[in-house]
Amino acid sequence: MDNRRLLILYGSQTGCAQEVAERIWRESKWLHYSGPVVAMDDYPIDKLIFEKKIIFVCSTTGQGDQPENMKTAWKFLLRKNLPSNSLTNVEFAVLGMGDSSYVKFNHVAKKLYRRLLQLGGKPLCNIGLADDQHDIGAFAVIDPWIDNLWTALLEKHPLPKEMVLIDRNALPPPRWRVQILNDDDSSSTNNKLPNADLLKTNSTTLNCLSNIRTTALNHFQDVRLIKFEYTENSLKYSPGDVLMVRPVNSENAVNSFFELMKENLKTELNRNSMMTVVQQSPDMPVPYNLSKPFTLYQCAKNHWDLNIIPNRYTFQLLSYFTNSELEKEKLQELTTAEGQEELYNYCNRPRRTILEVLSDFPHALANIPLDYLFEVFSPIRPRAFSIASAPSVHLNEIHILVAVVRYKTKLVAKRFGLCSNWLAGLVSGDKIPAWIHKGTFKFPYSRSCNVIMIGPGTGVAPFRSYVYESTTKGSGDAETLHLYFGARNRFGDFHCVNDWEKLVDDGKLTLYTAFSRDQDHKVYVQHVLNNRGQQLYKLLTSQECFVFVAGNAKDMPAAVRTEFSNVFMKYGNLDSVESEKTIEQMELKGRYQTETWS
């Protein structure tokens, strides 16, 4: 194999790991490396032993599970008959994309790193464990980890004498070349971006049936129960699974984009300009949804995320294009290690979008080459929503519970979540592409099980799916199904209240509620758990018991875990260490499962 070959493999649920892998590929050109960027399951994994240098970028899903596009490769790597010297000639590096609100934080990356060592692989650098919970997000780890990777490669594999090291501060090449088509070239196109989402396994087009607000009109937050219809047999899902959707930008955002780009577009481009993306390197093919000609409007509407908060790499790119010394100095400052606090205060704390950043650096904006628009703007990533319907009850339907994200920062313009506001705008008859991913929760269906569910806010969605399915199958009722729901007000945000009350009246569910603002002192789900400690201990120890926790990752999951630990200490006479070990054993057996989000 060529000594300057660098294989980059990724495993990703929503595309974040792929984006980072592609960035590593671009930056590797500084050291004259070449090689493909491939999803792990798309690479012939039995050929791994013939590689010399491999970079792995992988995310963790569910209860420490591998993403769908690396499961086959992972199964192969775990084979017991693989010799312990299989990867003796391989140098590797592993970067994990994770969220520390999950107990099994970056579990896949850690296991992969250990397995590669067991097979004789030699690490180029320490494992990187990126954390979405960090103040400036995953890039607080990603950026320095990539820098360390290049340093390690340069130390271990200096450039041959005939090669000159490319300046690290030089502009990296774009992934693709972008061409503007004239009318003759574009006359045969259908003026649409191909829909890659409908090529995915288990994907289909959903028809919106209804979009109902579940919170009172005077409540501070707008939450929707959105019901979709699908044709028979076009989708299959189980309670605990998630619905994946990819939103599009609002017309207001698209109009803001074109208003902002006026100076850039006045000579050659407009909304209807037809363009095509051309592959430059065999290592970086053009993705399917950019494989046919499309208009700039289509790209701004459907492909680029105009709402995203830029990361450090974006500012680095912009610094190459500005002809203003003042802008260049500021942009370069924001890319340094010393400038990360300022970057956080400028960008992350106020949630400043890419369009707002570009408006603050007009000289850089005016000089961005067309090819680099696809580097400055990130693609819209798919979003995951817990399914709130039951396949045996809501026939040929999928329901999701969506909290519409709207809030204020110190900036004048109100912040809007891209996907939630897009979903909130759907009306009956609207159609969207979607697909199913296996969810994080693995629910039991047995009369011998007690099931305790803690789902404040929209965290209750997967439990609506499970309770309906379980009671319909006859495997659960009020004696075994115990739901703890929390919200602000009984008459403000008691999501799906009619469902719960009917299930309780029918003897199919036991419900406990915590409405934090309905009394002088605040009451949360953990307080209700505390008040029912003795009853909880009886449930936890009388027969096989499962605990499921879903909701916001900030404080609730840790507070709930503490209460369960206290139950074992108070009523089981365990000390704190023994209590924690008991919960850890439950986790290992799948009897304490958590699904949280930021």
Side-chain angles (χ1 to χ4, degrees), residues 58 130 173 298 472 486 557:
C58 54
Q298 289 280 342
T472 300

Side-chain angles (χ1 to χ4, degrees), residues 271-378:
R271 288 172 178 254
N272 298 318
S273 294
M274 190 71 69
M275 60 179 65
T276 185
V277 176
V278 181
Q279 184 170 324
Q280 289 203 106
S281 165
D283 298 334
M284 185 59 66
V286 176
Y288 176 79
N289 60 353
L290 295 177
S291 63
K292 296 181 181 179
F294 52 86
T295 65
L296 184 58
Y297 171 84
Q298 289 280 342
C299 194
K301 178 74 174 178
N302 300 307
H303 183 70
W304 289 328
D305 189 341
L306 305 182
N307 210 41
I308 202 168
I309 299 167
N311 57 54
R312 189 178 80 164
Y313 184 64
T314 305
F315 291 91
Q316 183 179 336
L317 282 174
L318 293 178
S319 70
Y320 296 123
F321 303 129
T322 185
N323 54 13
S324 161
E325 286 303 317
L326 190 62
E327 279 190 8
K328 183 181 286 290
E329 183 179 343
K330 188 64 176 177
L331 288 164
Q332 289 177 340
E333 181 183 348
L334 293 173
T335 65
T336 63
E338 298 76 18
Q340 292 313 287
E341 183 65 28
E342 186 175 353
L343 176 62
Y344 175 74
N345 290 330
Y346 166 70
C347 211
N348 297 77
R349 190 185 297 278
R351 314 296 291 174
R352 202 179 299 265
T353 69
I354 180 64
L355 294 183
E356 291 167 332
V357 167
L358 290 175
S359 69
D360 285 347
F361 296 94
H363 295 281
L365 171 64
N367 292 291
I368 299 175
L370 184 59
D371 293 349
Y372 281 91
L373 286 181
F374 285 86
E375 312 303 322
V376 171
F377 288 102
S378 299

Side-chain angles (χ1 to χ4, degrees), residues 341-475:
E341 183 65 28
E342 186 175 353
L343 176 62
Y344 175 74
N345 290 330
Y346 166 70
C347 211
N348 297 77
R349 190 185 297 278
R351 314 296 291 174
R352 202 179 299 265
T353 69
I354 180 64
L355 294 183
E356 291 167 332
V357 167
L358 290 175
S359 69
D360 285 347
F361 296 94
H363 295 281
L365 171 64
N367 292 291
I368 299 175
L370 184 59
D371 293 349
Y372 281 91
L373 286 181
F374 285 86
E375 312 303 322
V376 171
F377 288 102
S378 299
I380 297 172
R381 293 179 192 158
R383 270 68 162 179
F385 291 88
S386 294
I387 296 174
S389 52
S392 297
V393 179
H394 309 99
L395 300 179
N396 298 326
E397 291 186 13
I398 287 185
H399 305 170
I400 57 175
L401 201 58
V402 180
V404 183
V405 179
R406 295 170 187 153
Y407 58 95
K408 291 182 179 180
T409 67
K410 68 178 184 179
L411 300 179
V412 175
K414 202 171 184 179
R415 309 290 94 181
F416 292 93
L418 172 59
C419 191
S420 63
N421 282 273
W422 169 68
L423 287 169
L426 296 178
V427 298
S428 179
D430 283 348
K431 292 177 170 53
I432 66 167
W435 63 102
I436 303 294
H437 265 171
K438 296 307 294 180
T440 63
F441 284 155
K442 305 297 186 289
F443 289 115
Y445 293 91
S446 170
R447 293 288 302 174
S448 66
C449 295
N450 288 320
V451 181
I452 301 168
M453 299 161 279
I454 298 95
T458 57
V460 80
F463 304 137
R464 182 175 182 265
S465 175
Y466 171 64
V467 169
Y468 269 123
E469 191 74 6
S470 179
T471 55
T472 300
K473 290 181 175 180
S475 60

Side-chain angles (χ1 to χ4, degrees), residues 130-273:
D131 184 7
D132 280 339
Q133 292 296 318
H134 194 282
D135 283 344
I136 60 173
F139 288 92
V141 170
I142 293 170
D143 290 335
W145 186 88
I146 292 176
D147 289 343
N148 289 338
L149 173 65
W150 303 140
T151 300
L153 277 168
L154 194 57
E155 287 177 354
K156 295 182 180 183
H157 303 283
L159 282 177
K161 292 181 179 179
E162 65 271 16
M163 286 186 177
V164 177
L165 182 66
I166 298 174
D167 184 359
R168 181 72 198 276
N169 296 317
L171 176 65
R175 280 171 290 184
W176 314 296
R177 189 160 46 88
V178 182
Q179 293 179 339
I180 303 301
L181 303 179
N182 58 40
D183 292 339
D184 293 336
D185 294 328
S186 60
S187 59
S188 62
T189 68
N190 61 8
N191 196 24
K192 289 183 179 179
L193 285 169
N195 199 327
D197 293 343
L198 291 179
L199 296 179
K200 297 179 184 296
T201 302
N202 209 14
S203 65
T204 191
T205 298
L206 300 181
N207 178 52
C208 180
L209 291 175
S210 63
N211 189 338
I212 305 299
R213 180 171 174 142
T214 66
T215 49
L217 291 176
N218 62 350
H219 190 70
F220 82 102
Q221 189 174 40
D222 181 358
V223 177
R224 305 296 182 93
L225 179 65
I226 307 176
K227 299 181 180 181
F228 297 100
E229 180 184 40
Y230 60 92
T231 58
E232 189 175 0
N233 298 324
S234 64
L235 277 186
K236 294 188 184 300
Y237 71 91
S238 303
D241 288 348
V242 295
L243 184 72
M244 304 296 298
V245 298
R246 194 188 312 272
V248 299
N249 291 302
S250 68
E251 283 301 310
N252 285 339
V254 174
N255 290 336
S256 296
F257 167 80
F258 281 104
E259 184 66 28
L260 186 63
M261 299 293 286
K262 264 183 181 177
E263 292 302 311
N264 224 24
L265 306 180
K266 64 182 181 181
T267 56
E268 55 176 335
L269 293 176
N270 57 54
R271 288 172 178 254
N272 298 318
S273 294

